[in-house]
Every structure is written in C-alpha cells, then in structure tokens.
Amino acid sequence: MGTLVRAAVLMSPLLFCNAFLDLTGPSEITGMWKGPTTLPCIYVPVKGFVQQMLTWTVVRGQSSGTIFRRDGSGDHILLSEYRDRVSILKDNPGNVSLHILSLEVSDRGTYTCQVTWSGSNNSLTAREITTKVEVVKVAATKPIIRAGELGLTVPAGASTSLTCVASGSPPISYRWFRSTPGGKALLLSSQAELAWDSLQPSDAGEYYCEAENRAGAGAVQQSDAVELMVRDFQRTHLSLYLVILIAVVCGAVVFLVIFLIICLRKPKDAQVYEVKFHNSRAAASSRSESTGHYEEPIFSTENNYVMEPMKNKRFEEINMKKNEYDCVRNTQESEYEVGDSV
C-alpha cells in the first residue's frame, strides 16, 4: 500500500502538468488558391517541460510525408514542394503554427502537428492535433477605389494616387481607365495604383478600374467611377487675398464710424460754466463817485475769473453775460482816458 501511495505522489506532478500540455487548433481550414494561410497549433508552456521536437506531416490521398521538423539541430523542410513556401515562428514559445505562403490546389489534405516535451525526470510527453485543409479558387470581386491622403479634391501641383483594391485568388490583374466626353474610355495603366507626381488642372475627370483573375474564368469586375477634382492653386490664393483685403477695409470703416460717433457725442453730464469778470479799477471808480474823491488805481489790473457751473440755462443767457462783459471793458477804457487828461 505504501508503495502505491509513493508512486502516486511521484506521478501526480507529471499528471498535473500533462493536463496543461495540450495543443489547440481548428479541425478544418479553407484557404484561397494562390493566397497565404496559417494552420494554427498552440500550447501553453509549463515550467519544468522543454520542447524537444516539433513535426508537421501531411496525408494527401494515398501519399504522406513529413513537411517540417524542428529539433536540437535546427529547422528542416523535408518535402521539396513546400520549400520556400512554409515557415514557423521562432522565439515564440507555445506557438508552433505552420504558415504557408502560397496555397496550391495540390496542398489539399490532412495536416498533423506533433510536439514532444521532456520533463525534469527525463520523461517524454507527446501531443498532436490534425487539421483538414481545403483549397478553393475565388474569382475577383468588384474592386473599390481608395484615394490618397489628400482625397479626391487635390490642389494643382500636388502628388496623389488612386488605388484599385479587389479580393480573390491571386494573382489579380488591374487596369485603369479615364472617361472621355465621347463615352469612350482611355486606358491609363495596368497597375493597381494610378499615381501623379504633379497634378495639373487637365488631370481632373472621372476614373475607374477593372480587376480579374484566372479563377474567374475571364470575368472582369469593374469599379464605380470616381471624380478627381484639381483646384487651381493660384486662383484660390488670389480670391483668398481679395476676401481678406475686403474684410480689412470694412473693419477699418466700421471702426472709424464708431470713433467719430464717440468723439462727437456730448456727454449727458456735461456742465456749462459762467465766466464772471471782476475788475478792481471799476470797483474803485464806483467808490469815488460815492465819496467824491478819486484815487488812482494801481497800474496793473487784477482780473478774477470765477468758473461757476450752469445747468439748464439757455444759450441766450450766455450771450447776455458776454454783452455785460463788453460794457465793463468799454467803461474801463474811458476811465484811462480821463485820468490822462487830468
């Protein structure tokens, strides 16, 4: 009994790890003829177990063979028809998927991925999964046109391109056409991309492309037409400068009108001041008439102006004060003449 318990204890880590050492991947894959495809084969690495060997084998009808083997000596492609067409990622533990660059019809078959690990006690553990591969020929689909970064409205002198994109079994051939006023199409290029290094206004117009492949039995797929517009750079800048100039002039006129309105408008709290004129010589003359004695006033006159605010008085009152001031001035001049004669 003790021996059985001891054996169970020794085997439990191995059984536990084996539960996690499992391969995952689809059971069937349909690939496109002449297109790339990937046969997934993935596992989760477990501490204490190191991958010792990886093999990919294929069964096609009555024949079978090993396509790929990875061991301590490196990677080996064993079937000549798969050379330069298959690869497996390196330095990516747990991912041993088979990548086929270009599928051929003869690649139909059942593929097996087998991985062998070695444990800490030098025990070996192997797992494998199988995937059935079908290869189909797909006719080219209706292409779509992708414009460059500048879109379909491009300034003159700029560089741009139009790209024709279709899906289907490669190789896919493309042709570019430009519509003409007479309804005829002008063949421009036999490439997927139609490019211009320096667009001119004459390049504006409608463009469309065609796509076909061998799987379509000669059926040609045509895209919808797109219109390429070319802006005249010089005319655009001229009109822009004209708009800016008009905006500046209008702004200056509005500012001038506002400034004049502010300057000419009379404030509501503006005050009108009355000027009172006090003359010492006139005061002396009035005193001499009352006393009968005349005193020569000081030669210099003392004029005192008093500014007093006036509110709500009419303009005629200001004229009256002005007349009184003229009368006093005439009296002063006559007094100077009398004094000189004496």
Side-chain angles (χ1 to χ4, degrees):
M1 184 68 178
T3 303
L4 293 176
V5 172
R6 189 179 301 108
V9 171
L10 293 175
M11 292 295 295
S12 59
L14 182 60
L15 295 175
F16 177 78
C17 292
N18 287 344
F20 288 93
L21 286 174
D22 199 7
L23 301 177
T24 58
S27 59
E28 293 185 4
I29 284 182
T30 300
M32 187 183 302
W33 177 52
K34 295 297 182 180
T37 192
T38 299
L39 308 184
C41 184
I42 300 173
Y43 68 90
V44 178
V46 176
K47 185 178 180 180
F49 286 80
V50 179
Q51 178 180 308
Q52 290 294 317
M53 183 178 294
L54 165 67
T55 59
W56 273 95
T57 59
V58 61
V59 176
R60 295 175 296 185
Q62 300 299 323
S63 64
S64 64
T66 300
I67 303 172
F68 180 90
R69 185 179 73 232
R70 174 179 289 174
D71 53 24
S73 62
D75 294 347
H76 308 279
I77 299 176
L78 304 178
L79 292 180
S80 58
E81 59 265 34
Y82 287 95
R83 288 177 184 173
D84 300 327
R85 291 199 302 125
V86 297
S87 64
I88 294 177
L89 294 176
K90 294 182 178 180
D91 302 325
N92 191 4
N95 188 354
V96 290
S97 303
L98 182 67
H99 301 276
I100 302 178
L101 181 61
S102 177
L103 273 178
E104 299 290 344
V105 176
S106 58
D107 292 336
R108 293 181 178 136
T110 301
Y111 292 75
T112 301
C113 171
Q114 185 182 70
V115 181
T116 303
W117 299 271
S118 64
S120 56
N121 56 356
N122 295 325
S123 62
L124 297 179
T125 302
R127 293 287 187 274
E128 66 180 30
I129 58 171
T130 59
T131 303
K132 184 179 180 180
V133 176
E134 288 290 339
V135 181
V136 296
K137 294 182 178 181
V138 179
T141 60
K142 180 179 179 178
I144 60 174
I145 296 176
R146 295 178 181 172
E149 295 181 357
L150 298 178
L152 294 174
T153 302
V154 186
S159 60
T160 189
S161 63
L162 297 175
T163 304
C164 188
V165 181
S167 61
S169 297
I172 301 176
S173 59
Y174 298 94
R175 289 182 297 273
W176 276 101
F177 297 89
R178 179 179 179 179
S179 301
T180 59
K184 296 181 180 180
L186 178 63
L187 177 62
L188 301 176
S189 173
S190 297
Q191 303 294 328
E193 183 182 53
L194 183 63
W196 293 268
D197 293 330
S198 179
L199 272 176
Q200 301 300 321
S202 58
D203 294 323
E206 286 190 352
Y207 295 84
Y208 67 91
C209 67
E210 293 180 348
E212 65 175 333
N213 61 359
R214 289 182 291 175
V220 178
Q221 300 291 335
Q222 180 177 313
S223 70
D224 295 329
V226 297
E227 184 175 0
L228 180 64
M229 301 178 64
V230 181
R231 298 197 311 264
D232 193 338
F233 187 75
Q234 295 181 351
R235 291 183 180 178
T236 302
H237 273 59
L238 180 60
S239 59
L240 180 62
Y241 288 141
L242 183 59
V243 170
I244 294 175
L245 179 60
I246 293 175
V248 171
V249 172
C250 292
V253 171
V254 172
F255 177 79
L256 181 60
V257 171
I258 295 175
F259 178 76
L260 292 176
I261 292 175
I262 294 175
C263 291
L264 297 179
R265 187 179 62 182
K266 182 178 180 181
K268 294 181 179 180
D269 58 348
Q271 296 180 349
V272 179
Y273 291 89
E274 176 185 5
V275 180
K276 291 184 178 181
F277 178 78
H278 300 275
N279 187 275
S280 60
R281 190 180 292 269
S285 175
S286 61
R287 289 196 300 270
S288 63
E289 291 177 357
S290 61
T291 59
H293 182 264
Y294 173 78
E295 294 180 359
E296 180 68 23
I298 302 174
F299 180 77
S300 61
T301 61
E302 180 182 359
N303 299 325
N304 298 323
Y305 295 89
V306 179
M307 306 294 289
E308 296 182 359
M310 298 177 60
K311 294 184 178 180
N312 302 325
K313 290 187 178 182
R314 295 175 297 178
F315 182 75
E316 289 79 6
E317 294 179 359
I318 298 176
N319 290 335
M320 185 180 298
K321 295 296 182 180
K322 182 177 183 298
N323 294 335
E324 292 176 2
Y325 170 75
D326 294 337
C327 181
V328 173
R329 185 181 63 181
N330 295 334
T331 304
Q332 181 181 359
E333 292 177 355
S334 63
E335 288 177 357
Y336 277 114
E337 292 175 358
V338 171
D340 293 339
S341 62
V342 174

